[in-house]
Amino acid sequence: MTKPIGYFTSYTPGDGSLLESLQEEYGSCFEQISRREKLFLISSLASQLCEQAPGRCRDEIYVVGYQVNSSLSVKDREGLLEALIHQTRCGQSLAVLQLGEAPMKQ
């Protein structure tokens, strides 16, 4: 079952925020937005957040991205997306890599 955007954000009914406006326009679970439009918004948000994050991506991660997109089923890619979002919000991550630094293997 889908949860409303207020479950995931700081939205409070009546706060006059953009989140309130989005909920009024597209529904509390974005039911008035198509799957393609939701995926576009996910891509747009992720791209912006990536640009703002410190550090850089290791070259191997670009290869992993290609492998994931070319080898996994749609359901597995959606599951991986959900896992990565959860880990980004709640989990630990490797320390920020500086240019030329290799990650520490644990």
Side-chain angles (χ1 to χ4, degrees):
M1 172 153 256
T2 305
K3 293 182 172 56
I5 60 173
Y7 178 84
F8 301 99
T9 67
S10 63
Y11 168 64
T12 304
D15 68 4
S17 67
L18 174 59
L19 292 172
E20 180 173 56
S21 175
L22 291 172
Q23 178 168 301
E24 287 174 2
E25 180 76 19
Y26 302 110
S28 65
C29 297
F30 286 164
E31 56 271 21
Q32 300 300 316
I33 296 178
S34 72
R35 174 182 168 78
R36 182 177 181 94
E37 292 167 336
K38 288 175 186 173
L39 290 169
F40 171 82
L41 290 174
I42 290 168
S43 174
S44 177
L45 290 164
S47 179
Q48 179 69 19
L49 290 170
C50 181
E51 289 297 319
Q52 293 175 350
R56 64 175 189 85
C57 287
R58 292 172 279 165
D59 291 342
E60 69 191 76
I61 300 303
Y62 293 100
V63 174
V64 170
Y66 173 79
Q67 291 170 329
V68 163
N69 280 312
S70 63
S71 300
L72 295 181
S73 69
V74 169
K75 289 294 180 194
D76 281 343
R77 284 182 279 161
E78 290 171 346
L80 185 56
L81 180 59
E82 189 172 2
L84 290 168
I85 289 169
H86 180 75
Q87 293 163 7
T88 300
R89 290 190 88 183
C90 306
Q92 295 180 336
S93 63
L94 191 61
V96 174
L97 293 177
Q98 300 300 321
L99 217 47
E101 250 182 25
M104 293 175 49
K105 302 276 183 189
Q106 294 183 355

